[in-house]
Amino acid sequence: MSASLPAIGRHRLTNRVILAPMAGVTDRPFRQLCRQLGAGLVVSEMVTADPALWHTRKSRLRLDHSGEPGPRSVQIAGGDAKMLAKAARLNADQGAEIIDINMGCPAKKVCNKAAGSALLRDEALVAEILDAVVAAVDIPVTLKIRTGWCADSNNGVRVAKLAEAAGIQALAVHGRHRQQRYSGYAEYDTIAAIKDAVSMPIFANGDIDSPAKAAAVLDYTGADAVMIGRGAQGNPWIFQETDHYLRHGTILPAPSRDERRRVMQGHLNALHDFYGEHMGVRIARKHLGWYLAWHCPADELKAHRARFNILESARDQLHFVDELFCHGAEGSPRTLTTDGTSAA
């Protein structure tokens, strides 16, 4: 692991712990929360490179970075070099300070359009896209990839060299090939080989779900930072915990009940405000489900999720969280009824 903190162009990161871009997850409320809780960089949900589709409500919300501190990193996805270059320019004009190119998404609907990790099958097209996007903007461009398309096509090192030659300023590598999707386990040998092959900052991604795991991955790969995705779902405290561990080698105390309630309610409020109550209530269900998975006893998880998922108002969702953290005399959570109120 290098001694100084990594930089992306002129942007020096504040620590070595980065929030990975995740479609349907890293919206503005979640990015802001993770930054508040210690993420050194946050990356937006991927936005299609086709500006003709930006008029949809989903795309408009994904492009909304109002009030966010810099550096603002926007991920774009597509398979056409000219279209990606245009998308990069438009996002830069709208305030993006870093453009990130998605060549790592394994989703069928993305790969079927020859985008995301499907691009790794065509190294000539990879080079064309990277050259076009870097030339199109005067802000740093980064890239996110997987180790390859499949076990027999582990071309991450070659793609990394193409990226460095094109002027990519940092590279995030998920330690799985596309056909694995999220199954099995991430491997870090390819990430280590990429770090040895190029001089730009490398961010290691995949199965990093604890401060100790982050430290082990950094030590094994020599990467400059870790990028955390699913490990942050329901556990945004992982950023401050990991940063503290990397700096001091000690584990922070777990967040108190008061802190968990405050953060969960603040997150729900932000979702309701950002999306409006109707959509915000629905999007809150998956986030609260992840919080419950981290912080509820296993034997209570299914019942709590079912009760929360039928609530239809922001008020009832916030009341549910209040009741979740109310304790009876013996210290155990009260049983919650289907409308989110506590049973006697």
Side-chain angles (χ1 to χ4, degrees):
M1 185 170 67
S2 59
S4 60
L5 291 171
I8 301 173
R10 64 182 180 84
H11 304 292
R12 177 76 57 184
L13 302 193
T14 56
N15 63 41
R16 303 181 190 281
V17 195
I18 301 168
L19 172 64
M22 293 177 283
V25 180
T26 56
D27 54 16
R28 194 180 78 191
F30 192 61
R31 293 195 302 271
Q32 290 179 317
L33 175 59
C34 291
R35 192 185 288 272
Q36 291 164 10
L37 290 175
L41 178 71
V42 298
V43 186
S44 75
E45 303 174 82
M46 65 180 178
V47 177
T48 176
D50 186 353
L53 302 177
W54 289 3
H55 67 279
T56 66
R57 186 167 190 266
K58 178 187 286 188
S59 290
R60 288 199 305 271
L61 289 170
R62 288 188 174 187
L63 290 163
D64 187 344
H65 295 264
S66 54
E68 287 193 76
R72 292 179 295 278
S73 178
V74 176
Q75 187 180 76
I76 57 176
D80 180 84
K82 290 182 179 178
M83 191 174 287
L84 281 159
K86 181 179 180 181
R89 283 193 298 271
L90 291 172
N91 275 287
D93 290 344
Q94 293 181 13
E97 295 171 286
I98 298 169
I99 296 294
D100 185 61
I101 303 172
N102 183 316
M103 293 190 185
C105 180
K108 283 185 177 179
K109 66 180 180 180
V110 175
C111 290
N112 286 346
K113 296 179 180 179
S117 54
L119 293 168
L120 300 176
R121 293 179 295 184
D122 188 342
E123 293 178 20
L125 178 57
V126 167
E128 180 186 355
I129 287 171
L130 299 179
D131 288 339
V133 175
V134 170
V137 293
D138 58 5
I139 59 175
V141 180
T142 60
L143 174 65
K144 189 168 192 290
I145 66 171
R146 287 192 162 221
T147 57
W149 174 257
C150 62
D152 296 327
S153 178
N154 207 37
N155 60 343
V157 171
R158 293 198 302 274
V159 170
K161 290 180 177 179
L162 290 173
E164 187 162 61
I168 294 297
Q169 297 292 298
L171 175 66
V173 186
H174 184 115
R176 287 180 173 85
H177 54 73
R178 187 269 168 179
Q179 290 188 353
Q180 284 180 275
R181 297 179 181 271
Y182 296 100
S183 64
Y185 299 97
E187 57 92 0
Y188 306 109
D189 289 331
T190 302
I191 300 176
I194 288 172
K195 178 60 185 173
D196 286 342
V198 297
S199 59
M200 63 183 161
I202 300 299
F203 306 146
N205 176 229
D207 294 352
I208 298 170
D209 56 6
S210 71
K213 182 65 175 288
V217 169
L218 286 175
D219 183 61
Y220 186 82
T221 63
D224 301 273
V226 290
M227 179 174 273
I228 299 176
R230 290 175 295 160
Q233 293 174 355
N235 187 30
W237 298 275
I238 194 171
F239 296 101
Q240 63 186 22
E241 292 169 350
T242 300
D243 179 40
H244 180 89
Y245 187 81
L246 294 177
R247 291 178 189 271
H248 305 292
T250 57
I251 299 291
L252 283 175
S256 67
R257 293 178 61 82
D258 223 32
E259 162 78 354
R260 283 183 281 161
R261 176 169 60 178
R262 181 188 66 79
V263 166
M264 290 163 67
Q265 288 192 321
H267 192 181
L268 294 187
N269 271 319
L271 290 169
H272 299 150
D273 290 345
F274 184 66
Y275 289 104
E277 182 169 15
H278 178 75
M279 182 183 285
V281 161
R282 280 146 184 80
I283 290 173
R285 290 170 182 164
K286 63 184 174 187
H287 285 280
L288 204 285
W290 291 325
Y291 282 114
L292 291 173
W294 274 97
H295 301 292
C296 269
D299 59 345
E300 299 177 13
L301 177 59
K302 185 176 180 180
H304 282 323
R305 276 180 168 165
R307 290 165 185 152
F308 186 79
N309 285 345
I310 65 169
L311 302 179
E312 294 287 344
S313 74
R315 180 187 63 83
D316 286 345
Q317 289 190 337
L318 294 168
H319 182 63
F320 177 98
V321 175
D322 266 335
E323 290 295 314
L324 185 68
F325 287 95
C326 284
H327 277 64
E330 297 179 359
S332 59
R334 294 176 180 174
T335 301
L336 300 182
T337 63
T338 54
D339 64 357
T341 59
S342 61

